[in-house]
Amino acid sequence: MKIGFVPIDNRPVCYTLPKLITEIDENIELFLPDREWLGDLTKYANTEKIFDWLKNLPKLDAIVLSLDTVAYGGLISSRRCTDTYEEIKEKIEKLKEILSEKNAKIYAFSSIMRISNNNINEEEKEYWAQYGKKIFNYSYCIDKFGTMCKKEVPDEILEDYLQTRNRNFEINKIYLEWQKEGFFQTLVFSKDDCAEYGFNVQEAKALEKLGGFVKTGADEIPLSLLSRAIQGEIKIAPIFLEPKYKNLISNYEDVSIEKSVLGQIDLAGCKVTDMDSADILLFINNFIDHQGEIVMQVNTEPFDGIWQTPSKPYMIADVRFANGADNNLVKQFEKFDKNFYGYSAWNTSANTLGSLICGAKIKFLAQKYNQDAFDRLQTTRLLDDWAYQANIRQTKPNLQQLKSEMQKYENKVAKLINKEYNINYKLPWNRLFEVEIEFN
């Protein structure tokens, strides 16, 4: 099967993770644009080169497409890009011409512009450092009460912000028209960093009313669409380790963890079933009272049960904490057997679930299975989600310290996977939020 894949940006979870996952089945040929053409924290993607690359691709079965990349230069760029509506419209119409000639099934997603409730402008326009929370409050009040609570944002900043929002919303409505024409096999509008009220909530409701499909999440959605593009259905039985609390809502999301799980299974093109009928069991290490977050020093009650390895295929979504593993659960793992289909504790609950299910589905349906590729995928997730995010990141290491500290966890991971690798580490965006695991 030949699949073209246009990532959100050049982060490891967006660029190298799809490669790791698809390599599990050597029958899948994944085509990616050069990594240097994609956007990062400050650089926009080179859309001209990506368009040329798309033109020259061989005959494909499917294309998984981040529309933010080709329209604005990336997910982060979609909030910063200064191009006008007319300029973006011209660009995506050119894209439509290119894709129409490929005769491939197109699985695409576009983001509903988020509204972060903070004054961190690392991924936003410069004025977010001073006015981020105030813009969030303005958006919240307008949606909830129909009026602003008090005037806190200068007119020129508010005007710029609203123009950017409206431009992106109008572009999303164009994609929706394409969907009604049958251009997309699947089109998803994603929303992340969700609150109960806000312009993003308004826009999501408007798109749904117009017939659009809206999904909570972001970075994992290309992987869910990749999973959806893979032919074949698997039956998954969700099993919550804290079943009484599956109605609670995860950080950065606006639906219960149960609805998040069911939605991710459905988007991946899989079917929900019971334990007896399941091809794979999906264990969810969900939270009691509230989801923790180690890096934010938000504690929660860790797993205090006894992990028992099941006798049929299983995977583990560790969402007790956002952005990192539950150490109490991981320390109980001894050695993964042939029934192990994956572990993930990557960032949000949606991120964890979407990426985990994709890998498990490809492994289960693999026509030419590659065990080493699966082992590298699991080594990556454990070293990233457990060793780094749940432990080492809290020490705020420099690169040299990072390499030294990670070595302390490599033996445990090698024992779990039953394979040892020579590994190098990078901080690709020169910040502590993400680490890159490289196999030498």
Side-chain angles (χ1 to χ4, degrees):
M1 186 177 189
K2 289 180 168 59
I3 303 174
F5 192 98
V6 179
I8 297 170
D9 51 47
N10 66 12
R11 281 173 296 160
V13 290
C14 299
Y15 192 84
T16 62
L17 183 54
K19 290 173 65 177
L20 282 172
I21 291 175
T22 53
E23 285 169 356
I24 294 170
D25 184 357
E26 293 177 11
N27 194 55
I28 298 173
E29 192 173 358
L30 188 72
F31 295 84
L32 284 159
D34 284 1
R35 195 171 183 179
E36 65 183 26
W37 299 344
L38 295 168
D40 59 24
L41 193 57
T42 58
K43 181 188 78 173
Y44 295 179
N46 188 327
T47 53
E48 286 188 12
K49 288 192 174 181
I50 293 172
F51 281 12
D52 286 341
W53 170 80
L54 281 167
K55 279 182 187 176
N56 294 312
L57 284 175
K59 183 175 174 54
L60 301 170
D61 299 292
I63 297 172
V64 177
L65 181 63
S66 167
L67 289 164
D68 290 337
T69 296
V70 291
Y72 311 108
L75 181 62
I76 293 172
S77 307
S78 71
R79 307 168 203 140
R80 293 175 171 170
C81 173
T82 58
D83 290 355
T84 65
Y85 167 80
E86 288 74 19
E87 289 170 327
I88 300 295
K89 184 172 182 285
E90 182 179 353
K91 189 186 299 184
I92 63 171
E93 284 174 347
K94 179 181 177 184
L95 169 74
K96 189 181 183 185
E97 288 180 19
I98 295 170
L99 295 179
S100 296
E101 295 174 359
K102 304 310 293 185
N103 293 319
K105 292 180 179 178
I106 301 169
Y107 300 81
F109 95 99
S110 179
S111 68
I112 298 169
M113 191 169 136
R114 76 176 189 180
I115 312 177
S116 299
N117 187 14
N118 58 49
N119 284 343
I120 301 170
N121 70 345
E122 187 178 49
E123 297 185 8
E124 314 291 338
K125 289 191 176 182
E126 288 299 317
Y127 51 69
W128 211 263
Q130 186 173 354
Y131 295 105
K133 281 193 172 185
K134 293 174 180 177
I135 293 171
F136 176 89
N137 291 336
Y138 174 81
S139 165
Y140 189 95
C141 288
I142 290 290
D143 186 23
K144 185 173 183 179
F145 304 115
T147 183
M148 62 180 169
C149 299
K150 56 182 176 178
K151 192 174 187 302
E152 298 179 299
V153 184
D155 290 341
E156 64 274 14
I157 289 175
L158 195 57
E159 183 181 356
D160 176 81
Y161 176 74
L162 294 176
Q163 281 180 349
T164 304
R165 282 212 73 89
N166 187 62
R167 177 200 66 188
N168 290 14
F169 179 56
E170 292 300 321
I171 292 297
N172 277 340
K173 288 200 287 188
I174 293 176
Y175 297 144
L176 191 53
E177 289 304 312
W178 295 1
Q179 168 75 353
K180 291 175 180 177
E181 295 168 8
F183 183 73
F184 298 112
Q185 183 76 13
T186 302
L187 173 65
V188 178
F189 295 108
S190 70
K191 58 188 175 103
D192 64 346
D193 285 1
C194 299
E196 188 178 2
Y197 297 97
F199 292 134
N200 53 341
V201 178
Q202 284 183 342
E203 290 169 12
K205 289 177 180 176
L207 289 169
E208 286 178 322
K209 192 173 181 180
L210 292 168
F213 173 60
V214 176
K215 187 81 182 65
T216 298
D219 294 342
E220 84 290 345
I221 289 180
L223 296 174
S224 297
L225 293 174
L226 173 63
S227 178
R228 194 176 184 86
I230 302 298
Q231 299 302 305
E233 183 182 80
I234 62 172
K235 294 175 287 185
I236 297 173
I239 302 165
F240 293 87
L241 298 186
E242 306 289 354
K244 293 180 182 178
Y245 301 94
K246 61 185 181 181
N247 63 315
L248 297 180
I249 297 174
S250 304
N251 299 349
Y252 313 108
E253 298 188 11
D254 60 354
V255 295
S256 70
I257 183 61
E258 181 181 31
K259 286 185 178 178
S260 185
V261 168
L262 298 178
Q264 290 292 340
I265 292 172
D266 179 65
L267 184 57
C270 302
K271 184 178 180 181
V272 177
T273 189
D274 57 31
M275 290 180 65
D276 293 336
S277 304
D279 296 312
I280 305 177
L281 306 178
L282 168 58
F283 289 92
I284 303 104
N285 182 32
N286 56 311
F287 40 90
I288 296 173
D289 186 45
H290 65 277
Q291 189 176 37
E293 190 159 6
I294 298 167
V295 71
M296 298 292 196
Q297 299 181 336
V298 177
N299 225 332
T300 196
E301 187 175 328
F303 177 73
D304 66 352
I306 298 173
W307 171 256
Q308 294 182 321
T309 302
S311 57
K312 68 186 299 182
Y314 69 96
M315 52 182 157
I316 306 161
D318 189 355
V319 299
R320 184 80 59 150
F321 295 85
N323 223 342
D326 179 355
N327 279 299
N328 275 34
L329 178 65
V330 176
K331 74 181 182 182
Q332 292 200 39
F333 300 151
E334 293 182 358
K335 188 176 181 179
F336 296 128
D337 60 11
K338 62 181 177 61
N339 285 323
F340 176 62
Y341 272 69
Y343 171 88
S344 184
W346 163 37
N347 206 13
T348 67
S349 296
N351 291 161
T352 289
L353 289 158
S355 58
L356 176 68
I357 294 167
C358 182
K361 181 178 181 181
I362 289 178
K363 176 178 178 177
F364 190 86
L365 296 173
Q367 296 181 30
K368 193 175 181 183
Y369 178 61
N370 185 320
Q371 179 68 46
D372 183 65
F374 179 75
D375 292 340
R376 280 187 280 116
L377 171 63
Q378 300 312 316
T379 297
T380 300
R381 292 273 52 86
L382 285 159
L383 287 175
D384 189 336
D385 305 347
W386 170 59
Y388 179 72
Q389 298 290 353
N391 295 283
I392 294 170
R393 183 180 169 187
Q394 320 318 314
T395 68
K396 296 181 170 57
N398 60 36
L399 196 54
Q400 198 59 42
Q401 292 167 335
L402 171 63
K403 292 175 181 178
S404 174
E405 289 297 309
M406 289 292 280
Q407 287 174 356
K408 299 175 185 178
Y409 293 86
E410 287 178 18
N411 288 339
K412 164 79 170 177
V413 173
K415 182 181 176 184
L416 287 173
I417 304 299
N418 197 29
K419 190 169 290 184
E420 191 170 341
Y421 291 101
N422 182 12
I423 295 169
N424 191 36
Y425 303 94
K426 289 181 179 178
L427 297 172
W429 278 16
N430 198 30
R431 64 179 187 179
L432 294 174
F433 190 80
E434 57 270 303
V435 66
E436 182 154 3
I437 315 293
E438 283 191 330
F439 294 86
N440 296 329

